Amino acid sequence: SEFIATAKCCSLGVAHRYFLVDLAQALGDTELMRTAIDANYLFIDNQSTIQMLHNPTHKERLKHVDIAFSYSRQQVDQGRFVPKYVMSADNLADIQTKALPGPLHK
């Protein structure tokens, strides 16, 4: 599921990038253009996903996510995204995806 989430994030990130480039061109905003073409960080709390994005050693076990994974890896290889590890305790997205105890969110 981490691979699928990463692929969806890459897909949305590319769509947002195209939108920002079009907007920057329409407005003539060079600062927005630089922001739009810079690499984006993928904050991932799964170290094996990050390792697989850099070096797919166990690809034969991932045939069901092969296309999505290949797209994510291609985006990382092209420098559009930079995967970064974030500890689960610091991952704000977990609020929406996992049942966490209340004290962590206060």
Side-chain angles (χ1 to χ4, degrees):
S1 67
E2 294 285 338
F3 297 116
I4 298 300
T6 301
K8 288 185 183 219
C9 185
C10 286
S11 178
L12 287 172
V14 168
H16 288 148
R17 175 176 288 180
Y18 286 133
F19 172 75
L20 287 175
V21 166
D22 288 345
L23 184 62
Q25 287 175 344
L27 296 175
D29 189 340
T30 57
E31 182 63 29
L32 181 59
M33 181 64 79
R34 277 194 294 269
T35 302
I37 60 175
D38 284 345
N40 294 306
Y41 291 115
L42 287 172
F43 293 103
I44 304 170
D45 64 353
N46 186 302
Q47 292 183 0
S48 66
T49 300
I50 295 171
Q51 290 173 357
M52 291 294 290
L53 285 170
H54 291 296
N55 185 18
T57 55
H58 302 291
K59 193 172 180 182
E60 65 277 356
R61 294 190 293 174
L62 299 172
K63 291 185 180 186
H64 61 288
V65 294
D66 191 33
I67 293 172
F69 178 70
S70 295
Y71 178 76
S72 299
R73 190 163 194 287
Q74 178 185 26
Q75 297 300 312
V76 170
D77 287 345
Q78 291 176 355
R80 292 186 177 137
F81 295 95
V82 178
K84 291 234 177 218
Y85 177 71
V86 61
M87 293 183 355
S88 291
D90 297 330
N91 190 354
L92 297 177
D94 280 351
I95 295 170
Q96 299 173 350
T97 61
K98 296 179 182 170
L100 298 174
L104 288 177
H105 304 298
K106 292 183 181 181

